[in-house]
Amino acid sequence: MGPGVVSGAADNDPAGVITYIQIGATTGFSLLWLMLLSTPILYYLEDMSARLGIVGKRGIGRLLCRRYGTAAALVIVIPTLFSNVITIGADLSGTASAVQLLTGVPWVWWVVPIAVLLGALLFGAGYEAVSRVLLILTPLFLLYVAVGFVVRPRWASVLEATFLPHFRFAPTYLAAALALLGATLTPYMFFWQTTEEVEAHRRVADLAGERLDVATGMIYANLVFYFIILAAAVVIPAGAAGIGTVLEAAQTLRPVAGPLATLLFALGFFVSGIMAIPVMVACSAYTLAEVLGWAEGLDKRVWQARGFYMLLAGALLVGAVVALAGIPPVALMFWSSVVNGLLLAPLFLVLLMLCNDPAVVRGHRNGPVANIVAGGTVLLTLALGVLTTVQLLRGH
């Protein structure tokens, strides 16, 4: 176990957690069916990303440059980096809000220290050390699953919503569905998965083991997401407009989990940020360095890959600026997931093309099921993105 489990756990970032809480608060159990649908989607797409790294021996940015040229690669990479930076800012504000819950000191004072701390980790530790730290932290997210049982939902209603889907063409519902997919199928995960396989020096002979790793990580991730939505739907009153602050999210658990709920929520939220932000920052630096043809890698010294480490610092700096831009943390975290959702269709189309290109993956091209799932996901995310945009524009 390794890259797949870390990618799945890193998907539990503060923006994702808040997004799932907002979805549970505003739509109840009604989108649980989408979590069931997203599990095989996430597996097949992450498996494609892993295969690109193992067989192609390069990150997605470098593979795009080789097959389609630098200009085409930048068309895909730049919007993804924009999404990453927004999400880094959202997660920095979320992580800082968790520290505020623990200390009482306003969250704005914690953004820069957290960014500096994570920067020191990325600059001072090699890939193996960083990945090991992330792997050790992953079991903490089982607490979210436990909460789903503690709140005692009506399981008949839960199972009905999970296996009998229904759809509404309301702006709130569509935005929630797109945000759910954007938080679950997060663009940075696919770039990071490919990079991890390259950095871990996985071989073609390791493909079977990596598939098990990916399957474990994606099932684990979606199980956690599912129970966050479930718990929020139970503890937040029906018809609520959502939550306005991270403190409100923590306080909703008090009636069912007791006075320590705020502390436990804050710790979980803090660790989710500590896991996810380094992944997003490193992913951004790897991807742009690959496109620019610069030396990259956390195992390289700063003087060996100056440009790469400048990109690391830049991603953290811009993320901190976004976090301090005056946007309420909860709103920033939710809408960053919506932005991620709008980028999914073109990204998945690129993955589909690369994984069917014999010049990239040789004899390890997609099978029929992978192509059907990936092609269907492109159409689903494209349609949902268009519908959401139209409905939001009409709503305003």
Side-chain angles (χ1 to χ4, degrees):
M1 299 301 173
V5 174
V6 170
S7 291
D11 205 15
N12 293 291
D13 66 312
V17 174
I18 284 295
T19 297
Y20 299 126
I21 292 174
Q22 291 283 55
I23 288 168
T26 56
T27 66
F29 298 146
S30 65
L31 279 173
L32 288 178
W33 65 270
L34 197 52
M35 296 307 308
L36 186 67
L37 178 65
S38 71
T39 302
I41 291 174
L42 194 54
Y43 164 72
Y44 277 104
L45 292 167
E46 280 290 296
D47 176 62
M48 288 163 59
S49 302
R51 201 168 352 116
L52 285 175
I54 292 172
V55 181
K57 304 297 183 187
R58 294 291 185 273
I60 292 176
R62 188 68 54 85
L63 292 173
L64 285 171
C65 286
R66 286 187 170 185
R67 295 304 297 152
Y68 309 116
T70 302
L74 287 172
V75 169
I76 296 296
V77 166
I78 294 301
T80 304
L81 294 179
F82 174 74
S83 166
N84 280 3
V85 168
I86 291 177
T87 309
I88 290 167
D91 285 348
L92 278 171
S93 66
T95 308
S97 297
V99 181
Q100 176 181 338
L101 291 177
L102 296 170
T103 64
V105 178
W107 68 270
V108 293
W109 294 103
W110 291 107
V111 170
V112 173
I114 291 170
V116 171
L117 172 68
L118 295 177
L121 172 67
L122 290 169
F123 274 71
Y127 167 79
E128 187 175 346
V130 171
S131 62
R132 186 178 294 121
V133 169
L134 298 180
L135 188 60
I136 289 170
L137 293 174
T138 57
L140 181 69
F141 296 113
L142 289 172
L143 288 172
Y144 288 117
V145 178
V147 168
F149 290 93
V150 169
V151 298
R152 297 181 181 179
R154 291 180 298 167
W155 288 106
S157 300
V158 171
L159 293 174
E160 180 183 347
T162 302
F163 294 102
L164 296 175
H166 68 280
F167 200 83
R168 299 200 304 268
F169 287 93
T172 301
Y173 187 88
L174 289 170
L178 186 64
L180 187 151
L181 288 178
T184 306
L185 310 174
T186 322
Y188 73 84
M189 282 181 62
F190 305 102
F191 287 85
W192 177 249
Q193 182 72 45
T194 304
T195 298
E196 279 193 293
E197 304 296 352
V198 176
E199 286 278 23
H201 305 293
R202 295 292 194 264
R203 301 168 300 169
V204 173
D206 299 324
L207 275 172
E210 289 305 290
R211 286 195 174 100
L212 175 60
D213 178 38
V214 168
T216 303
M218 298 312 108
I219 291 171
Y220 178 53
N222 270 24
L223 186 69
V224 172
F225 304 155
Y226 181 93
F227 276 95
I228 293 173
I229 295 173
L230 184 157
V234 173
V235 302
I236 297 176
I243 54 171
T245 67
V246 175
L247 178 60
E248 284 181 29
Q251 288 176 334
T252 58
L253 289 173
R254 275 188 190 274
V256 293
L260 288 178
T262 299
L263 173 63
L264 291 174
F265 180 87
L267 287 173
F269 212 66
F270 176 76
V271 172
S272 72
I274 296 300
M275 278 204 65
I277 294 169
V279 169
M280 276 182 281
V281 170
C283 168
S284 302
Y286 271 109
T287 302
L288 190 53
E290 288 165 0
V291 172
L292 297 174
W294 294 355
E296 90 281 339
L298 290 172
D299 282 336
K300 288 183 169 61
R301 303 292 185 187
V302 174
W303 60 268
Q304 293 175 310
R306 292 186 183 90
F308 171 74
Y309 282 99
M310 283 176 58
L311 293 174
L312 282 177
L316 273 171
L317 177 61
V318 176
V321 171
V322 171
L324 295 171
I327 305 172
V330 167
L332 181 59
M333 285 184 276
F334 179 81
W335 288 105
S336 73
S337 294
V338 175
V339 171
N340 284 338
L342 293 171
L343 295 175
L344 294 178
L347 174 58
F348 294 158
L349 180 60
V350 166
L351 282 177
L352 190 59
M353 293 167 60
L354 289 174
C355 285
N356 281 288
D357 189 337
V360 177
V361 291
R362 303 195 292 277
H364 299 278
R365 287 177 288 176
N366 279 357
V369 176
N371 280 331
I372 290 170
V373 172
T377 305
V378 171
L379 295 177
L380 172 64
T381 51
L382 178 61
L384 192 54
V386 171
L387 282 172
T388 302
T389 303
V390 170
Q391 290 291 335
L392 287 175
L393 290 174
R394 285 179 177 174
H396 286 76

